[in-house]
Amino acid sequence: MEQKILEIKKNALAEIDNVSDGKTLEEVKNKYLSRASELNALKKGLKDVAPELRPKIGALTNEVSKEIELLINQKAEKFYAEELNKKLEAEKIDVTLPSTFEPVGHIHPLTKTINEITEIFELLGFSLIKNEFSPEIETEKYNFDLLNVPKEHPARDVQDTYYAKSAVNVVLRSQTSNSQVRQMQNSKPPIKIISPGRVYRSESVSARKNNLFHQIEGLYVDKNVTFSDLKGVLNEFIRLYFGSSRPTRFRNSFFPFTEPSAEVDVQCIMCHGKGCPTCSGTGWLEILGSGMVDPNVLKAVNIDPEIYSGFAFGMGVERLAMLKYAIDDIRLFFNNDVRFLNQF
Ligand code: DAH
């Protein structure tokens, strides 16, 4: 029996020595160490061995299986290390190679300006309007009629507004004020919203005018909203947007949908009021239109002007961006010239 065990050992050691891959090693392991192995059978047969020989034979079987196991494990570790080295070698990174250049995108200056202005008004308690209340393709009813714009008003002329050829009374909106009306029709006061978006006007394109541009509309309707609220909010907006206590002035004006109406000027950011080409020598730059919502507009959307009042304002995004970043040609925003866009 002892002979037999030593022979198994000899064979096993020879086979292990010959193995050159993990799969064969696994087979060898099965052959010599599994339940079905010869050694195991010998262990089971130990009870038939003469009692005085049992301890010796038992110890030998254990010793041999331990030794085989040890050798197999050593070999397995060796294979693992070789495998790992191969993998590391294959995946080696050459840090001296030049890297690929991934250009970083920029936020468009108009988007940046809209975000900035929106954040300021959110700070002042205004919420962004829902998209469905601010369509760019609009009916005359919402772009003009419900805003108290008379039928014969020059803004309705095809010289100023784009009309659809295939549908009656459909326009590309000429102002974001349409969203005021839609918001008031769809909710009850208090209403405190801002609404940024594209507007279209039939203009000949120049350094100062483009036929597509962006506006931000604001509306606040509640009980006891006054002209001082309007001044407070807009002054605070200007302070936060231009970043200093820049002088402002409220100039009497007229819009069909507000009464009274005011245009708001800031002191020229170029010459600080001295007078220069940017401000046409006046020292002031107009930045927005505003006013107290006309009672006719409130009535048209079933809000009682005896109970509620409100103010509204509208500003041109391109103009505000041009003033802040000293840009002198509006067309730069639309040409997609990366030399311009990279600066933002
Ligand atoms: N919609 C006007 C425009 O396009 C701007 C404006 C003026 C909007 C006064 C308002 C407002 O809401 O109250 O010129």
Side-chain angles (χ1 to χ4, degrees):
M1 188 137 184
E2 197 179 333
Q3 208 52 44
K4 176 85 187 142
I5 296 171
L6 290 175
E7 198 179 315
I8 293 176
K9 176 179 165 182
K10 200 174 125 215
N11 290 343
L13 295 196
E15 274 185 55
I16 294 171
D17 203 37
N18 271 333
V19 168
S20 60
D21 64 278
K23 194 165 160 272
T24 322
L25 187 67
E26 199 58 30
E27 284 165 17
V28 173
K29 184 175 175 182
N30 261 333
K31 180 169 167 190
Y32 290 100
L33 299 176
S34 72
R35 281 164 174 273
S37 67
E38 262 180 301
L39 270 180
N40 210 39
L42 288 178
K43 275 186 207 165
K44 275 190 207 148
L46 212 56
K47 57 182 185 306
D48 303 325
V49 173
E52 65 276 16
L53 289 178
R54 258 183 232 164
K56 190 173 170 216
I57 299 288
L60 184 65
T61 348
N62 279 340
E63 201 180 288
V64 167
S65 51
K66 280 232 177 72
E67 190 174 348
I68 294 175
E69 192 177 357
L70 182 76
L71 288 172
I72 287 179
N73 285 348
Q74 278 174 355
K75 197 100 188 193
E77 267 168 40
K78 186 170 155 244
F79 286 160
Y80 176 76
E82 280 170 8
E83 198 60 34
L84 190 68
N85 278 340
K86 248 197 247 164
K87 208 170 153 203
L88 288 176
E89 193 61 35
E91 291 173 6
K92 197 159 131 187
I93 294 167
D94 183 350
V95 291
T96 63
L97 284 176
S99 64
T100 48
F101 174 64
E102 296 284 347
V104 179
H106 291 247
I107 298 205
H108 192 280
L110 289 179
T111 309
K112 201 172 149 171
T113 306
I114 290 173
N115 291 347
E116 227 176 292
I117 297 174
T118 302
E119 275 167 29
I120 294 175
F121 280 106
E122 282 176 339
L123 211 69
L124 299 173
F126 289 74
S127 314
L128 212 51
I129 201 168
K130 283 198 186 141
N131 277 341
E132 65 255 38
F133 297 157
S134 183
E136 288 174 34
I137 298 170
E138 188 53 287
T139 55
E140 269 195 276
K141 182 175 159 194
Y142 286 94
N143 196 71
F144 295 126
D145 299 346
L146 291 170
L147 285 160
N148 201 35
V149 179
K151 286 282 181 221
E152 67 286 358
H153 195 282
R156 295 196 186 225
D157 199 278
V158 286
Q159 304 288 336
D160 291 298
T161 300
Y162 287 115
Y163 283 80
K165 271 194 181 147
S166 52
V168 186
N169 294 338
V170 172
V171 299
L172 286 178
R173 69 169 170 191
S174 61
Q175 49 185 355
T176 43
S177 306
N178 66 329
S179 59
Q180 285 187 34
V181 182
R182 289 189 175 272
Q183 178 70 47
M184 287 192 284
Q185 269 187 343
N186 284 284
S187 56
K188 293 203 168 0
I191 294 169
K192 204 172 180 187
I193 51 100
I194 48 159
S195 174
R198 293 192 194 112
V199 300
Y200 302 83
R201 285 188 201 171
S202 180
E203 308 263 18
S204 43
V205 175
S206 70
R208 300 179 68 104
K209 283 183 173 167
N210 201 50
N211 44 13
L212 171 150
F213 59 101
H214 297 73
Q215 287 188 330
I216 295 183
E217 192 81 12
L219 174 71
Y220 178 27
V221 180
D222 201 353
K223 290 177 182 155
N224 307 317
V225 176
T226 66
F227 199 85
S228 352
D229 296 319
L230 179 159
K231 284 186 84 170
V233 163
L234 294 179
N235 273 330
E236 189 61 7
F237 159 69
I238 290 164
R239 191 179 73 79
L240 291 169
Y241 180 74
F242 289 103
S244 64
S245 50
R246 186 162 292 283
T248 54
R249 71 177 184 191
F250 287 71
R251 224 171 354 91
N252 187 28
S253 182
F254 175 81
F255 298 100
F257 29 89
T258 45
E259 181 58 36
S261 305
E263 282 178 301
V264 180
D265 300 339
V266 292
Q267 191 186 65
C268 180
I269 54 152
M270 299 294 177
C271 63
H272 298 279
K274 289 195 195 76
C276 71
T278 301
C279 57
S280 313
T282 62
W284 294 95
L285 296 164
E286 183 221 316
I287 57 158
L288 58 86
S290 65
M292 300 306 291
V293 181
D294 193 292
N296 285 338
V297 175
L298 294 176
K299 273 187 228 157
V301 291
N302 291 322
I303 293 179
D304 187 347
E306 298 296 326
I307 303 175
Y308 293 103
S309 56
F311 68 76
F313 55 88
M315 58 186 83
V317 176
E318 282 76 0
R319 185 161 172 79
L320 282 161
M322 287 166 88
L323 292 177
K324 183 146 174 178
Y325 299 113
I327 296 163
D328 59 5
D329 191 328
I330 195 171
R331 291 168 295 193
L332 285 166
F333 292 118
F334 303 100
N335 290 344
N336 284 335
D337 184 334
V338 288
R339 289 169 304 176
F340 172 72
L341 297 175
N342 277 347
Q343 296 175 45
F344 295 90

